[in-house]
Amino acid sequence: MPAASPSTARAINDRLALRLLQQEGPLTAGQLKQLTGLSRPTVADLVERLADAGLITVVGEAGEQRRGPNARLYGIVADRAHLAALDVRTEGVSVAVSDLVGTVLAEASVPIGDDTGTGPAVERAVALVERAVKEAGADRLHTVGIGAPGLIDPASGELRDSSGLPQWHRGLVATLQERFPEARVSVENETNLAALAEQRDGAARDRATFVLLWLGHGTGAAVVLDGALRRGASGGTGEIGFLPVPGTTGLPSATDCAGGFHSLAGSAAITRLAAEHGLTAEDAHAPAAARLVGEAAAHAGEARPFLDALADRIALGVASVVAVLDPGCVVLGGEVGQAGGPLLAALVEERVRRMSPLPVAVRPSTLGGTAVLRGALLTARDRAQEVLFAPPGR
């Protein structure tokens, strides 16, 4: 294999150094030398090159006893670009604005009712983003990452029409691109983003292969095999709400997941199940379901029948996933998965072990409902850095 050209070698070294600065924080030239294995002159050259390009700068000194060039701490220029992440739900939007290294500078959310028209809903969501950008002190956005329910076309990367989802979801993506013409706007399925966040910062940090089962207002699944997110031929991998399961009153259809796994494990179904066991909440939305599950897990003695019945239901979906994919690990995500904690996860794991010969660890989410926004922000950061850290002229 031919040796890399000097320019290619420099580009590789630069990207390596920038990634280390992102992962480890500010470093001295000596620390970069140690971590990269490069020679001192090579590190000195790359530090000068990256500083001249405006990508890194001196942010302090290492240790009170050290002075001079060797003690300088270099860090990524965080305000070189600003990013936005959106978690778009059927009932509202949450947004976070961060700098290039991922430090969140502003967060906000707004509810959007079912009776809100498409135009007003889009305007309300975009105005929220604009306010957050202003609060963060940013004059423009470099990259916007959006997490939304529904199918993402793997060819175009666009949100496909899906039954049951508000029309304003599709309009929001186009309007954001119009309002922030310099930004790179991308959309991803919310459950896939939650899985990315759990893999980077949550319950699946030690797993290259796992499945995230989203339990919130609706149900979904994300599949990560050998470190790669799998979307499927049409972008529909993980549409587990349509999975036919026993215990429902019918079968799902191509346009309605009623009768599928959603009818057993969606928030409305969980709330009804809780009521059958004497536990009630004010409404059937995911926060209420999560609150019921959380309270039951905290008082497991008297609420154990409800938790057992819920674990029976969830185990049907988990066992189906295990039989097909053998992931070795399933994370119970979303607000409900997090609320159930280790107890609900253990109950589900116990049932799946009786139903399948394949070993599987069932874990509760550590990020819960915040995982989608976190995943959208991580994706936006990765894409922005891919562009900004690219070799000149690429």
Side-chain angles (χ1 to χ4, degrees):
M1 184 175 180
S5 67
S7 61
T8 299
R10 285 194 296 271
I12 293 172
N13 293 339
D14 290 354
R15 292 292 291 271
L16 174 59
L18 287 164
R19 290 300 177 195
L20 286 170
L21 289 168
Q22 169 67 65
Q23 295 166 6
E24 305 294 336
L27 298 169
T28 65
Q31 290 169 326
L32 280 172
K33 175 182 177 298
Q34 182 179 10
L35 291 171
T36 61
L38 299 172
S39 68
R40 188 178 301 277
T42 300
V43 170
D45 287 343
L46 76 83
V47 165
E48 182 178 1
R49 192 163 52 245
L50 294 175
D52 290 343
L55 291 172
I56 68 172
T57 188
V58 177
V59 296
E61 290 192 346
E64 297 181 358
Q65 306 303 319
R66 300 181 61 185
R67 292 290 184 269
N70 292 335
R72 291 173 184 167
L73 278 170
Y74 295 93
I76 294 173
V77 179
D79 61 1
R80 175 71 182 271
H82 289 92
L83 324 169
L86 282 78
D87 179 1
V88 181
R89 305 291 180 96
T90 55
E91 70 277 7
V93 176
S94 297
V95 61
V97 177
S98 81
D99 58 26
L100 184 58
V101 297
T103 301
V104 176
L105 305 174
E107 290 184 278
S109 61
V110 63
I112 298 178
D114 294 337
D115 57 346
T116 307
T118 299
V122 170
E123 186 56 38
R124 186 177 299 177
V126 173
L128 180 76
V129 178
E130 291 175 332
R131 289 197 300 272
V133 169
K134 183 177 181 180
E135 182 182 340
D139 56 358
R140 65 175 61 87
L141 290 175
H142 183 280
T143 305
V144 179
I146 303 172
L151 301 179
I152 309 300
D153 189 312
S156 66
E158 296 179 353
L159 185 65
R160 290 167 48 185
D161 285 318
S162 299
S163 61
L165 294 180
Q167 286 296 318
W168 62 268
H169 281 196
R170 286 176 58 83
L172 174 60
V173 178
T175 303
L176 281 171
Q177 189 66 80
E178 293 174 1
R179 296 287 184 89
F180 300 94
E182 298 178 357
R184 295 161 175 81
V185 180
S186 62
V187 61
E188 176 63 271
N189 174 267
E190 60 177 356
T191 309
N192 287 344
L193 290 177
L196 172 63
E198 293 286 357
Q199 185 181 35
R200 295 273 196 94
D201 300 328
R205 280 175 291 183
D206 62 335
R207 294 282 179 163
T209 294
F210 71 99
V211 169
L212 174 91
L213 178 61
W214 181 268
L215 301 170
H217 182 68
T219 58
V223 177
V224 177
L225 301 179
D226 299 323
L229 184 68
R230 307 297 181 176
R231 294 178 173 82
S234 65
T237 295
E239 287 296 311
I240 199 170
F242 287 87
L243 178 74
V245 290
T248 65
T249 57
L251 291 173
S253 70
T255 58
D256 191 350
C257 59
F261 182 65
H262 173 82
S263 295
L264 292 183
S267 62
I270 292 174
T271 303
R272 288 193 296 268
L273 180 65
E276 294 172 7
H277 288 82
L279 306 174
T280 59
E282 295 180 359
D283 56 53
H285 291 292
R291 185 169 63 253
L292 287 166
V293 173
E295 291 174 354
H299 304 87
E302 56 193 74
R304 182 61 180 265
F306 164 61
L307 291 175
D308 282 335
L310 179 58
D312 288 342
R313 293 184 173 194
I314 295 173
L316 292 174
V318 173
S320 299
V321 166
V322 170
V324 175
L325 296 175
D326 186 20
C329 177
V330 173
V331 176
L332 302 184
E335 297 91 346
V336 171
Q338 183 183 44
L343 175 57
L344 180 60
L347 292 174
V348 172
E349 182 178 309
E350 176 188 348
R351 284 155 174 78
V352 175
R353 284 182 174 175
R354 295 200 300 263
M355 298 166 67
S356 172
L358 306 176
V360 62
V362 180
R363 301 175 177 178
S365 164
T366 58
L367 301 176
T370 67
V372 176
L373 196 62
R374 178 62 181 161
L377 192 60
L378 287 168
T379 300
R381 190 191 73 188
D382 288 349
R383 288 173 177 163
Q385 291 184 355
E386 186 70 25
V387 173
L388 294 172
F389 294 175
R394 201 185 83 173

